């Protein structure tokens, strides 16, 4: 029986649970922080001692936690790359920009359980010797910012923030910074620029790896809201215990946002890799199936920048057999377990955990035109291929969707999309804007060709072009 | 055998060096090289390629600006030595390194090289990447080359020819932006031509320290703009027109004046202050159209100030002196003038004559003045000229050769300090003769009434002035663009410049007639060429002793003092 497994959503789903600190404390809030701050240096088998902060970092490493912001990069590894010898302060920034279309998980936490995030952040900051941290929150989350602001105020008043936290001698403050409404502010180096008060132009790497040259040119950790909440649970239950949840390489629980043509769209918490797309779309515990009389057409598995799957598509992934061997197996995409590794092995990504389900009522040309419009609007415009390519693709698609296509459009569109990704741009937006186009054209090429051909007799007319 | 293999081993480069291979050619490059501010930082792929003689096309990169990495024109492929299970580089049976090619390209302008790296700049993939960047840059470009000032020196044109594709696949409507943005008093912007390389932004922000420009809007609608309510107005704005790789930023002074391929280029210097920025003069049919900076890292980097750049129109002014003249000269004839002056000078008495020579004259000319002064027993000085300095290039001394005048003993140690003394000595009748070369002393404390008392007044200048008008003899001089010579800048660097245009009428370079006067008056000749005078100067003046004219080359030489 596929089912949810609540760690992060545990309290949120309880009736009557509210955002004030008393409620959080009644539910055991800030106990993990107390535990973390009370850690003593521990003697190791090899005779060395491990300080409290190193112990927390070790637990996070053992937990196998992978970042929940999109890339699924190992959190323990990210923290281990921080330049701790520079003599500069280390900053931590919580990425609460949540802008990937289809994603609505971080806001659940912010709106309903802000103290969980704050507790996770304080622990992460303590573990990394951070004394100043920021929550970079999406500009549109006005209410969320207000809630967080109040929660921070409460935490300060209760002695969880500020000087000498809980008598430990550790000082930390957290500030909220509201974005001004740009998707690219979610990209960590764009976010850092924005936090510095500049346009959110993502930085070139090298040399600007946040772990070395981040905020104000100091070592900086950028973690997603959900990642930081997971840190709290890892320290609470122990890294090894956390790693028992989920599957190897894809440990713990994860929030999944299911939207589109399902009966029960919403945010669900699953053990990573323990449920399949079929479960998530059709099971009563999750999406609850398609609307009556509809057939599944497509699944966008990780936010709109992820490559689309076609219903019925066969994917090849490595599967671990009972005796531990890895063998390559072919399976229906619906049988694919929802985890970082499987989805990327199948040629896409689980990204921000946003699953968008499309049924046979969807016109794929219009869907892609809509997605491309979004990316053309959100490209920061800094680097050539993305700046020019994203709008070019959107314009071709706009024409196609409006019935003004030309037979050559499909090949041209694919060729334009091929000229953007693969490390040619400053940030991964280049991939984000071209992957959907590439995958829609490969998997639903017939629909695009049909639209383009339908017009073969009509001449492309300038009059339409002028209205663009 | 083993030995030679070792010495060819890319991982065994000498200390401070790195061995990299560019398109199959292995070169040793320094581990670090100067960045835009001259700080030593890890050598980049682009620098390594340059050292290997391989050009990597680029738009946003500029050696004197912080790296932006936004145009993506410089993308290259590369590989690094593969590491074995022991974390040591793996070797082929013949001992050479196993190279692991990176699946992703890198921007050459920002990526440091590492030992054993192989850089591939001409693979089909690299060629396609360049082609696509160019295609992207062109789809929304107005392609108005026929009316664009940049045509002929446009990187978009050049790279399109070299790396682009012949026809456009773009059938959509282009993005339209403002084609005539009055950015500031000297700069116009055509937003449609802009390729958003951000060079102009970085220059004014990071080099000048005036954070005046930015980008508004986003995506393909991005456009350069001055901050709302402000104009782009500092003393260095015109450099942005130079570094703009396309015709987006143009100089209001130069735009629509002349096609650049018609311009003759002359290596010269700016003469508007003591910094001595190196410049190229663009001229055609004896007319000057523009000054542009010429790179000299010891002086002006790649820049010059707007004040100096635009200070050339006076050369064409209608009040130029075009022939010898004066109250004692009956016809405008050089021979008569020189004869008259030489005869007059022979009658002067040491201690009763003084010379004022401009610190705008060249080292060679001032040396000739020095010869005259020594022979005639005349005290000398220059007229100081000053204005506010800024923190980049412009210096308070607005004469180009004060230092030279000091080294040659023409200027007082505080230039101009002698002028009030001269005025007094004229008034009390001690000084009876005065030679003024290239200045109007009536504007420097010697009144016309005082000049009227003199027995013998000779003056020269480029324009008619208060002194030339009442002198017994006056001679028409040349602007520095009309002659050759050298200046010594405020830091003691001697730099030479070449002639760009002919002087008007009968005007002749000062060197020409000063050498004649020296010869007539002293009976000794130092020759009539810049080179021969320089040689004589060198033999006599300690500061110049170790420097030969040929040593000056394009960038000058620092004097020993
Ligand atoms: C175009 C773009 C948009 C992004 N938007 C977000 C976002 O809204 N929220 C987020 O947490 N991460 C976003 N990311 C990922 C961040 O760059 C970064 O990897 C993440 O915040 C790291 O946190 P994690 O390691 O905890 O996942 C985005 C990345 C890209 C390339
Ligand atoms: S890839 Fe796109 S979003 Fe990223 S820096 Fe370049 S233009 Fe901006
Ligand atoms: S105006 Fe010129 S220098 Fe400035 S960004 Fe545009 S192309 Fe580059
Ligand atoms: S700084 Fe001086 S030498 Fe340089 S351009 Fe300006 S006036 Fe000319
Ligand atoms: S030169 Fe523009 S990215 Fe390197």
């Amino acid at each position: 029986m596929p089912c949810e497994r609540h760690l992060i959503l545990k309290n949120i789903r309880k009736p009557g649970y509210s955002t004030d600190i008393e409620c959080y404390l009644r539910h055991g809030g800030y106990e993990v922080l107390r535990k973390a701050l009370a850690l003593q240096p521990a003697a190791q088998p090899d005779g060395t001692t491990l300080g409290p902060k190193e112990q927390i970092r070790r637990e996070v490493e053992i937990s196998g936690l992978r970042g929940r912001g999109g890339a699924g990069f190992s959190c323990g590894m990210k923290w281990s790359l921080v330049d701790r010898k520079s003599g500069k302060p280390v900053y931590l920034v919580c990425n609460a920009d949540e802008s990937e279309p289809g994603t609505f998980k971080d806001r659940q936490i912010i709106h309903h359980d802000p103290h969980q995030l704050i507790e996770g952040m304080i622990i992460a900051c303590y573990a990394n010797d951070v004394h100043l941290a920021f929550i970079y929150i999406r500009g549109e989350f006005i209410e969320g910012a207000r809630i967080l602001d109040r929660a921070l105020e409460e935490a300060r008043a209760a002695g969880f923030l500020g000087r000498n936290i809980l008598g430990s001698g550790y000082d930390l403050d957290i500030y909220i910074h509201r974005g001004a409404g740009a998707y690219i502010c979610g990209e960590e180096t764009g976010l850092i620029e924005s936090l510095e008060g500049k346009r959110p132009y993502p930085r070139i790497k090298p040399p600007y790896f946040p772990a070395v040259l981040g905020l104000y040119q100091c070592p900086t950790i950028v973690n997603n809201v959900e990642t930081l909440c997971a840190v709290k649970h890892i320290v609470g239950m122990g890294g090894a215990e956390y790693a028992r949840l989920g599957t190897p390489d894809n440990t713990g629980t994860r929030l999944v946002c299911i939207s589109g043509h399902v009966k029960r769209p919403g945010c669900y918490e699953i053990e990573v890799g323990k449920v399949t797309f079929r479960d998530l779309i059709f099971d009563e515990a999750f999406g609850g199936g398609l609307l009556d009389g509809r057939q599944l057409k497509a699944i966008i598995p990780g936010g709109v920048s992820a490559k689309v799957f076609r219903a019925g598509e066969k994917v090849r992934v490595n599967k671990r057999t009972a005796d531990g061997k890895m063998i390559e197996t072919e399976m229906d995409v619906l049988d694919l377990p929802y985890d970082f590794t499987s989805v990327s092995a199948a040629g896409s990504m689980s990204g921000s955990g946003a699953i968008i389900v499309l049924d046979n009522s969807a016109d794929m040309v219009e869907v892609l035109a809509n997605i491309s419009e979004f990316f053309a609007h959100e490209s920061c415009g800094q680097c050539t291929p993305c700046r020019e390519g994203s709008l070019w693709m959107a314009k071709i698609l706009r024409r196609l969707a409006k019935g003004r296509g030309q037979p050559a459009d499909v090949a041209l569109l694919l060729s334009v999309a091929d000229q953007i990704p693969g490390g040619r741009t400053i940030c991964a937006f280049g991939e984000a804007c071209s992957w959907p186009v590439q995958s829609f054209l490969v998997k639903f090429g017939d629909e695009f060709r049909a639209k383009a051909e339908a017009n073969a007799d009509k001449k492309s007319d300038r009059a339409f072009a002028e209205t663009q | 055998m083993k030995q030679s293999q070792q010495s060819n081993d890319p991982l065994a480069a000498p200390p401070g060096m790195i061995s990299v291979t560019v398109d199959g050619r292995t070169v040793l490059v320094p581990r670090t090289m100067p960045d835009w501010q001259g700080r030593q930082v890890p050598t980049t792929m682009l620098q390594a390629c340059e050292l290997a003689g391989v050009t990597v096309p680029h738009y946003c990169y500029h050696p004197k600006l912080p790296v932006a990495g936004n145009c993506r024109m410089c993308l290259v492929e590369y590989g690094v030595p593969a590491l074995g299970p022991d974390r040591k580089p793996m070797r082929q049976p013949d001992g050479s390194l196993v190279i692991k090619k990176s699946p992703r390209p890198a921007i050459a302008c920002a990526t440091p090289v590492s030992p054993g790296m192989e850089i591939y700049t001409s693979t089909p993939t690299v060629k396609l990447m360049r082609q696509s960047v160019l295609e992207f840059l062109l789809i929304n470009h107005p392609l108005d080359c026929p009316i664009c000032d940049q045509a002929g020196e446009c990187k978009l044109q050049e790279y399109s020819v070299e790396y682009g594709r012949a026809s456009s696949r773009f059938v959509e409507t282009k993005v339209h932006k403002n084609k005539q943005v009055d950015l500031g008093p000297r700069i116009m912007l055509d937003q449609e031509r802009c390729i958003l390389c951000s060079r102009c932004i970085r220059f004014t922000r990071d080099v000048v320290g005036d954070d005046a420009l930015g980008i508004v809007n986003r995506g393909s609608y991005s456009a350069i703009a001055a901050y709302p309510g402000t104009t782009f107005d500092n003393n260095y704005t015109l450099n942005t027109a130079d570094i703009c790789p396309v015709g987006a930023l143009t100089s209001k002074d130069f735009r629509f004046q002349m096609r650049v391929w018609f311009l003759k280029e002359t290596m010269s210097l700016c003469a508007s202050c003591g910094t001595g920025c190196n410049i190229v003069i663009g001229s055609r049919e004896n007319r000057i159209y523009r000054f542009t900076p010429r790179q000299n890292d010891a002086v002006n980097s790649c820049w010059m100030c707007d004040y100096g750049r635009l200070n050339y129109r006076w050369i064409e002014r209608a009040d130029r002196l075009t022939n010898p003249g004066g109250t004692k000269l009956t016809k405008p004839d050089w021979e008569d003038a020189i004869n008259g002056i030489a005869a007059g000078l022979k009658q002067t008495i040491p201690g009763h004559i003084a010379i004022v020579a401009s610190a705008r004259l060249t080292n060679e000319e001032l040396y000739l003045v020095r010869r005259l002064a020594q022979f005639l027993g005349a005290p000398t000085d220059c007229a100081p000229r000053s204005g506010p300095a800024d923190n980049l290039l412009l210096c308070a001394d607005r004469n180009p050769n004060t230092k030279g005048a000091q080294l040659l003993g023409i200027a007082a140690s505080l230039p101009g300090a002698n002028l009030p003394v001269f005025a007094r000595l004229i008034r009390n009748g001690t000084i009876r003769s005065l030679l003024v070369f290239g200045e109007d002393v009536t504007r420097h404390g010697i009144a016309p009434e005082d000049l009227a008392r003199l027995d013998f007044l000779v003056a020269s200048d480029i324009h008619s002035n208060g002194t030339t008008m009442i002198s017994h003899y006056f001679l028409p001089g040349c602007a520095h663009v009309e002659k050759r010579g050298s200046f010594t800048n405020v830091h003691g660097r001697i730099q030479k410049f070449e002639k760009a245009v002919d002087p008007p009428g009968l005007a002749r370079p000062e060197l020409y007639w000063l050498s004649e006067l020296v010869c007539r008056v002293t009976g000794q000749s130092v020759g009539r060429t810049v080179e021969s005078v320089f040689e004589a100067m060198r033999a006599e003046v300690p500061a110049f002793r170790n420097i030969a004219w040929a040593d000056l080359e394009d960038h000058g030489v620092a004097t020993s003092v």
Side-chain angles (χ1 to χ4, degrees):
Chain A
M1 254 316 254
C3 62
E4 284 198 76
R5 175 69 165 84
H6 285 166
L7 226 50
I8 288 170
L9 296 182
K10 191 162 144 216
N11 291 335
I12 297 178
R13 288 291 156 84
K14 285 182 185 152
Y17 187 77
S18 67
T19 57
D20 52 281
I21 195 165
E22 285 76 27
C23 180
Y24 188 61
L25 290 169
R26 276 201 303 282
H27 287 81
Y30 291 107
E31 283 308 319
V32 181
L33 175 62
R34 279 182 204 283
K35 176 181 154 186
L37 292 179
L39 283 173
Q40 296 301 317
Q44 299 299 295
D46 64 358
T48 57
T49 44
L50 209 57
K53 297 171 180 182
E54 288 77 13
Q55 288 173 43
I56 300 175
R57 298 208 294 264
R58 155 103 50 107
E59 290 304 314
V60 170
E61 229 160 81
I62 292 171
S63 77
L65 175 65
R66 295 174 69 164
R68 305 298 196 231
F73 190 75
S74 155
C75 184
M77 171 83 90
K78 179 180 280 190
W79 290 7
S80 75
L81 295 173
V82 170
D83 180 0
R84 296 179 205 280
K85 298 204 185 72
S86 66
K88 300 184 202 167
V90 178
Y91 294 111
L92 185 140
V93 185
C94 169
N95 189 342
D97 194 62
E98 188 165 73
S99 318
E100 176 73 22
T103 316
F104 43 85
K105 62 187 183 70
D106 296 341
R107 72 194 76 179
Q108 307 294 327
I109 299 165
I110 293 165
H111 281 153
H112 303 297
D113 201 2
H115 284 286
Q116 180 182 192
L117 169 60
I118 294 169
E119 185 174 5
M121 268 185 89
I122 302 172
I123 297 168
C125 288
Y126 177 66
N128 289 290
D129 257 318
V130 171
H131 297 285
L132 189 54
F134 299 86
I135 301 175
Y136 187 99
I137 186 164
R138 179 174 171 171
E140 290 88 339
F141 289 177
I142 299 169
E143 181 63 11
R146 209 186 49 73
I147 292 170
L148 277 173
D149 214 19
R150 210 193 59 189
L152 286 172
E153 210 38 69
E154 290 175 331
R156 260 179 226 119
F160 299 125
L161 278 176
R163 297 212 150 268
N164 192 16
I165 295 170
L166 299 175
S168 64
Y170 172 62
D171 305 335
L172 169 70
D173 221 327
I174 300 179
Y175 291 103
I176 296 179
H177 184 97
R178 283 184 53 208
Y183 172 71
I184 200 58
C185 291
E187 196 280 338
E188 56 187 4
T189 58
L191 182 154
I192 288 171
E193 285 280 301
S194 173
L195 198 49
E196 289 183 2
K198 309 184 201 137
R199 280 171 74 84
Y201 278 165
R203 295 175 173 174
I204 50 173
K205 290 146 258 178
Y208 299 107
F209 295 107
V212 184
L213 292 172
L215 185 62
Y216 309 124
Q217 303 296 310
C218 297
T220 302
I221 297 167
V222 181
N223 272 133
N224 172 260
V225 172
E226 188 189 339
T227 313
L228 290 166
C229 291
V231 167
K232 176 201 135 145
H233 298 286
I234 288 163
V235 175
M237 69 203 312
E241 190 61 27
Y242 185 87
R244 263 193 280 282
L245 295 171
T247 50
D249 288 338
N250 294 276
T251 58
T253 66
R254 180 161 192 206
L255 302 184
V256 183
C257 314
I258 305 177
S259 65
H261 301 142
V262 290
K263 286 205 177 104
R264 280 170 29 97
C267 179
Y268 302 91
E269 185 169 9
I270 61 164
E271 274 190 64
V272 190
K274 288 278 176 73
V275 292
T276 63
F277 279 107
R278 188 185 306 282
D279 301 332
L280 291 168
I281 296 169
F282 293 100
D283 198 277
E284 288 306 318
F286 300 103
L290 302 172
L291 305 184
D292 295 333
R294 302 280 180 83
Q295 283 96 50
L296 182 67
K297 185 170 191 180
I299 307 167
I300 300 176
V304 292
S305 36
K307 291 190 171 178
V308 69
F309 289 126
R310 186 182 177 129
E313 184 177 337
K314 296 280 176 276
V315 294
R316 300 188 70 84
V317 290
N318 287 323
K319 239 189 144 174
R320 202 181 292 271
T321 57
D323 53 354
K325 271 203 297 249
M326 298 293 275
I327 49 157
E328 203 190 55
T329 11
E330 193 182 75
M331 59 172 77
D332 188 283
V333 64
L334 282 175
D335 295 318
L336 198 63
Y338 195 67
D339 64 59
F340 295 101
T341 315
S342 305
V343 183
S344 71
S348 185
M349 62 171 182
S350 63
S352 57
I355 298 176
I356 302 170
V357 180
L358 297 168
D359 69 21
N360 58 331
S361 70
D363 176 333
M364 295 312 272
V365 179
E366 294 211 1
V367 173
L368 184 61
N370 185 298
I371 292 174
S372 291
E373 204 71 53
F374 170 81
F375 285 118
H377 183 63
E378 295 295 344
S379 164
C380 84
Q382 192 185 189
C383 61
T384 310
C386 167
R387 175 181 70 236
E388 303 301 339
S390 59
L391 184 62
W392 190 1
M393 295 189 298
K395 282 182 171 175
I396 298 174
L397 282 159
R398 210 182 288 170
R399 262 196 308 104
L400 271 177
K402 294 254 165 76
R404 306 279 171 166
Q406 300 168 4
D409 283 344
V410 181
L412 176 61
L413 194 53
L414 188 58
S415 154
V416 174
D418 288 345
Q419 294 186 164
I420 304 170
R424 300 173 187 221
T425 53
I426 292 179
C427 84
F429 189 106
E431 281 74 29
C433 73
S434 48
W435 281 346
V437 176
Q438 290 176 324
S439 62
F440 271 64
L441 289 181
V442 168
K443 300 192 178 165
F444 298 93
D446 39 354
E447 271 187 55
F448 286 83
R449 273 186 294 276
K451 280 249 166 145
E453 305 286 330
N455 255 324
D457 43 336
K458 290 188 221 152
K459 273 235 171 293
S460 97
D461 63 293
R462 215 64 198 148
F464 173 78
E466 311 292 58
T467 66
Q468 281 188 358
Chain B
M1 194 59 214
K2 194 143 192 253
Q3 201 58 33
S4 81
Q5 241 176 33
Q6 280 296 317
S7 60
N8 280 336
D9 185 351
L11 298 182
M17 303 295 276
I18 289 183
S19 166
V20 296
T21 304
V22 180
D23 295 341
R25 249 195 68 212
T26 302
V27 284
L28 276 179
V29 303
R31 195 169 275 275
T32 63
M33 284 180 74
D35 71 355
W36 67 285
Q37 289 173 304
R39 284 180 311 207
Q40 289 290 324
V41 296
T43 301
T44 62
M45 290 176 163
L46 194 137
Q47 289 170 320
C49 288
E50 255 166 33
L51 291 174
V54 173
T55 308
V56 180
H58 54 269
Y59 285 112
C60 65
Y61 169 78
H62 187 286
K64 300 296 175 185
L65 297 176
V67 171
N70 58 32
C71 74
R72 318 307 282 182
M73 189 64 194
C74 69
L75 282 169
V76 293
E77 293 194 286
Y78 70 103
V80 290
L83 297 184
D86 55 354
R87 311 290 303 153
K88 296 224 177 76
M90 296 198 285
R91 305 252 173 202
Q92 310 276 16
D94 69 353
S96 64
L97 290 167
V98 178
I99 298 295
K100 192 165 144 261
K101 194 169 158 200
S102 162
R104 290 161 75 87
I107 45 172
C109 65
T111 311
V113 291
S114 57
M117 180 184 265
E118 292 194 352
I119 304 171
Y120 318 108
T121 76
S122 53
T123 59
T125 309
V126 171
K127 286 182 181 159
L128 274 173
M129 288 190 298
R130 287 176 188 162
Q131 204 178 63
S132 60
V133 166
L134 281 168
E135 177 174 48
F136 283 136
L137 287 175
L138 287 172
I139 58 172
N140 286 306
H141 192 86
L143 297 179
D144 47 13
C145 310
I147 53 157
C148 177
D149 271 293
Q150 193 81 2
E153 52 184 5
C154 174
K155 285 277 175 231
L156 197 53
Q157 284 186 334
E158 289 166 22
Y159 289 164
S160 293
V161 171
E162 209 163 333
Y163 310 107
R165 69 169 110 226
S167 63
S168 172
R169 304 187 292 167
F170 186 79
V171 297
E172 322 301 322
T173 305
K174 290 182 188 247
V175 172
H176 288 297
K177 303 180 195 169
N178 197 335
K179 287 187 74 66
Q180 277 180 307
V181 183
D182 194 344
L183 269 193
R186 292 170 296 285
I187 290 281
M188 284 299 285
L189 164 67
D190 181 332
Q191 292 177 332
E192 290 190 345
R193 291 180 189 160
C194 168
I195 58 164
L196 295 160
C197 69
S198 80
R199 279 181 169 194
C200 54
I201 299 177
R202 286 175 280 146
F203 171 75
T204 184
R205 183 188 63 207
D206 299 316
V207 177
V208 184
D210 178 14
D211 198 357
L213 299 177
I215 292 175
V216 293
N217 301 327
R218 61 193 193 193
S220 191
Y221 303 96
S222 301
I224 295 290
Y227 279 99
T230 68
T231 57
F232 181 39
D233 185 9
N234 60 53
N235 195 23
Y236 294 89
T237 61
L238 287 165
N239 293 291
T240 60
D242 301 331
I243 58 175
C244 180
V246 292
L249 296 174
T250 45
S251 153
K252 287 185 186 174
D253 183 68
F254 178 69
R255 68 201 308 251
F256 309 140
Q257 297 304 306
M258 184 51 63
R259 280 303 191 187
V260 294
W261 55 84
F262 291 133
L263 292 178
K264 180 181 90 177
E265 297 196 328
T266 307
M267 190 202 75
S268 185
L269 302 170
C270 171
S272 294
C273 89
T275 301
C277 291
N278 291 207
I279 66 167
V280 172
I281 297 175
S283 63
R284 186 185 185 206
E285 291 177 355
N286 221 36
R287 226 192 136 185
I288 291 181
Y289 285 89
R290 66 174 183 185
F291 288 175
T292 45
R294 179 164 59 86
Q295 181 170 359
N296 185 342
D297 288 352
V299 180
N300 55 308
S301 185
C302 297
W303 325 119
M304 73 185 295
C305 79
D306 290 2
Y307 160 76
R309 186 191 302 247
L310 297 179
N311 195 10
Y312 68 90
R313 284 275 159 87
W314 55 269
I315 294 163
E316 293 193 328
R317 245 162 57 188
D319 59 343
R320 280 292 298 263
L321 292 176
T322 53
N323 52 265
T327 53
K328 294 211 172 145
L329 195 64
T330 46
K331 62 180 197 304
D333 182 84
W334 271 106
E335 193 53 32
D336 287 2
I338 297 290
N339 285 338
I341 296 169
L345 288 178
K346 283 193 178 137
Q347 283 160 30
T348 60
I349 305 158
H352 298 280
I353 174 170
I355 301 180
V356 177
S358 177
R360 286 170 166 169
L361 296 181
T362 67
N363 291 318
E364 300 75 33
E365 291 157 353
L366 288 171
Y367 170 69
L368 294 168
V369 172
R370 171 186 159 117
R371 295 282 291 244
L372 269 186
Q374 281 174 343
F375 186 85
L376 299 172
T380 60
D381 203 354
C382 297
R385 190 169 271 110
S386 66
D390 65 24
N391 53 9
L392 193 51
L393 292 172
L394 184 63
C395 83
D397 179 0
R398 298 296 167 83
N399 279 321
N401 202 21
T402 304
K403 192 79 184 183
Q406 285 170 324
L407 293 175
L408 287 157
I410 300 291
S413 55
L414 183 65
N418 289 346
L419 297 182
V421 182
F422 290 173
R424 205 178 65 238
L425 295 178
I426 293 170
R427 260 178 260 128
N428 73 16
T430 310
I431 291 180
R432 307 296 312 153
S433 305
L434 184 67
L435 304 184
V436 182
F437 298 119
E439 294 288 357
D440 178 6
V441 290
T442 66
R443 295 165 67 186
H444 293 276
I446 305 179
E449 311 84 80
D450 300 333
L451 295 178
R453 297 159 171 261
L454 291 164
D455 297 340
F456 191 51
L457 174 62
V458 176
S460 77
D461 207 351
I462 297 167
H463 301 105
S464 170
N465 69 39
T467 308
T468 59
M469 274 189 307
I470 56 173
S471 54
H472 300 125
Y473 293 94
F474 70 77
L475 302 171
C478 284
H480 82 294
V481 301
E482 295 159 348
K483 61 189 181 187
R484 302 174 64 225
S486 70
F487 290 141
T488 309
N489 82 355
V490 281
H491 302 296
R493 190 178 191 82
I494 307 177
Q495 312 186 95
K496 69 172 182 167
F497 56 89
E498 298 295 336
K499 174 183 157 176
V501 291
D502 291 326
L506 296 180
R508 291 292 174 268
E510 283 79 350
L511 184 113
Y512 161 87
W513 43 263
L514 278 171
S515 59
E516 188 62 31
L517 275 180
V518 167
C519 189
R520 300 274 184 99
V521 174
T522 69
Q524 292 170 320
S525 173
V526 285
R528 286 157 175 263
T529 64
V530 172
E531 285 83 350
S532 64
V533 178
F534 193 90
E535 269 307 302
M537 173 173 80
R538 210 185 139 188
E540 190 178 327
V541 186
F544 298 89
R545 183 150 304 149
N546 298 322
I547 300 163
W549 178 258
D551 296 339
L552 298 182
E553 294 191 335
D554 285 353
H555 294 122
V557 173
T559 51
S560 37
V561 280

